[in-house]
């Protein structure tokens, strides 16, 4: 049996979940308690980083959404997550790298900031019990974990405002890849799931959703991740959304 260890609401965990589903590989997802997850992954599983997703295949543990994508292609080559030809493969790998290194963290900071500003919707992001703890109880205990997540990930006002200001051009970059056929092609691949999970997470926020949902990047996200649990009422200062709003208007 394959186990996917993640955290509630975690977009790289969703990337791996969707890649497993896409390949039709049976698995069980286990969501850990944030913070405790670090010790479990680092000390318990003796992995080099303190992050999820982690895939456990028998006694083997693979950590990191990009490493796992490659392992899944080794395990189950069809449908492939990467093109076979070197040139298109390089393009998909570059989009995937960008998705992991440059889009994933801003999406994390934006989400954690929003969770701290309004803790009410946290339960909607919890799809399953968390290490055996019922969701309602986990949601009641979530506050210190959110505070810690904000601190550790430096989800400051300045960082989140800058991320929101950059979002229009980041989505524009995704859309250039879509137009070039690197993303959103006939078969979805590793870069689609990597980027789609971040865009889908962003669309769980009611003040971001209407500014994103008509864009080609949103179509890709809905295709890669048709259901992303979570729904959070408006929380961002309107001025922070202006650059994204102007981008959405310009695109009409
Ligand atoms: N970029 C890596 C790392 C992912 C990452 O940072 N995951 C977060 C959750 S979204 C995490 O495990 N954080 C540890 C914590 O919050 O304690 C990947 O794609 O696998």
């Amino acid at each position: 049996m394959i186990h996917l260890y993640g955290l509630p609401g975690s977009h790289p965990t969703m990337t791996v979940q969707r890649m497993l589903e896409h390949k039709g590989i049976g698995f069980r997802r286990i969501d850990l308690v944030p913070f405790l997850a670090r010790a479990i992954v680092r000390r318990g599983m003796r992995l080099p980083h303190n992050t999820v997703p982690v895939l456990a295949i028998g006694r083997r543990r693979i950590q990191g959404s990009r490493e796992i994508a490659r392992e899944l292609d080794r395990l189950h080559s069809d449908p492939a997550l990467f093109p076979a030809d070197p040139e298109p493969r390089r393009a998909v790998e570059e989009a995937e790298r960008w998705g992991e290194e440059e889009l994933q963290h801003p999406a994390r900071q934006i989400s954690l900031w929003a969770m701290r500003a309004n803790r009410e919707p946290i339960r909607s992001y919890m799809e399953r019990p968390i290490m055996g703890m019922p969701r309602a109880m986990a949601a009641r205990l979530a506050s210190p974990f959110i505070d810690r997540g904000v601190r550790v990930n430096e989800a400051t006002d300045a960082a989140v405002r800058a991320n929101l200001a950059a979002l229009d051009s980041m989505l524009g970059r995704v859309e250039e890849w879509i137009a070039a056929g690197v993303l959103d092609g006939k078969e979805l691949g590793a870069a689609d799931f990597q980027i789609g999970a971040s865009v889908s997470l962003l669309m769980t926020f009611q003040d971001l959703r209407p500014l994103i949902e008509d864009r080609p990047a949103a179509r890709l996200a809905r295709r890669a991740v048709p259901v992303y649990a979570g729904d959070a009422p408006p929380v961002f200062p309107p001025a922070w959304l202006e650059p994204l709003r102007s981008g959405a208007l310009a695109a009409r």
Side-chain angles (χ1 to χ4, degrees):
M1 182 61 176
I2 292 183
H3 289 97
L4 167 60
Y5 292 93
L7 284 171
S10 158
H11 43 324
T13 307
M14 180 56 85
T15 297
V16 175
Q17 176 180 323
R18 289 293 302 127
M19 293 192 296
L20 285 159
E21 289 168 352
H22 180 68
K23 281 181 177 284
I25 300 175
F27 68 100
R28 188 164 157 243
R29 175 167 164 171
I30 298 168
D31 280 353
L32 305 172
V33 175
F35 191 49
L36 278 186
R38 296 193 158 221
I40 293 171
V41 165
R42 199 62 181 270
R43 297 208 199 102
M45 298 183 185
R46 296 172 189 277
L47 288 164
H49 310 290
N50 50 20
T51 55
V52 295
V54 170
L55 197 69
I57 309 174
R59 297 168 72 92
R60 275 190 325 121
R61 310 261 184 274
I62 304 108
Q63 182 173 44
S65 53
R66 281 161 71 195
E67 291 74 6
I68 294 171
R70 282 149 188 80
E71 181 61 28
L72 290 181
D73 261 5
R74 280 192 286 272
L75 202 66
H76 236 270
S77 55
D78 190 34
L81 294 167
F82 296 93
D85 294 340
E87 203 46 50
R89 180 172 180 122
R90 251 195 304 281
V92 167
E93 284 187 329
E94 171 53 16
E96 184 206 26
R97 182 208 62 75
W98 178 88
E100 197 237 345
E101 292 182 3
E102 299 186 40
L103 177 65
Q104 193 190 91
H105 194 58
R108 179 178 297 113
Q109 289 177 312
I110 290 170
S111 309
L112 284 165
W113 189 96
M115 285 299 138
R116 194 182 51 177
N118 178 10
R119 295 161 205 252
E120 210 51 47
I122 188 77
R123 192 183 185 288
S124 68
Y125 289 81
M126 298 173 173
E127 281 190 278
R128 50 186 64 73
I130 294 156
M131 291 171 75
M133 204 191 316
R135 286 176 296 171
M137 184 192 287
R140 274 202 303 279
L141 298 174
S143 267
F145 298 113
I146 296 171
D147 291 342
R148 205 190 131 276
V150 166
R151 222 173 32 250
V152 171
N153 290 288
E154 300 176 328
T156 60
D157 289 4
V160 169
R161 186 170 188 171
N163 290 338
L164 289 170
L167 198 49
D168 177 52
S169 85
M170 290 200 278
L171 295 175
R173 177 127 199 220
V174 172
E175 285 153 1
E176 282 168 22
W177 273 315
I178 293 175
V182 174
L183 295 175
D184 205 19
K186 214 161 118 234
E187 274 280 356
L188 292 174
D192 297 295
F193 293 113
Q194 179 67 244
I195 289 171
S198 288
V199 178
S200 283
L201 170 61
L202 292 170
M203 286 201 293
T204 63
F205 296 96
Q206 287 174 20
D207 34 13
L208 301 185
R209 197 183 306 146
L211 303 178
I212 301 178
E213 67 188 351
D214 294 332
R215 300 183 63 139
R219 261 204 326 271
L220 161 67
R222 277 192 296 268
R223 196 176 155 214
V225 186
V227 181
Y228 201 116
D231 183 37
V235 72
F236 300 106
W240 294 15
L241 299 173
E242 240 359 276
L244 186 59
R245 195 181 308 282
S246 316
L249 282 177
R252 281 201 183 135

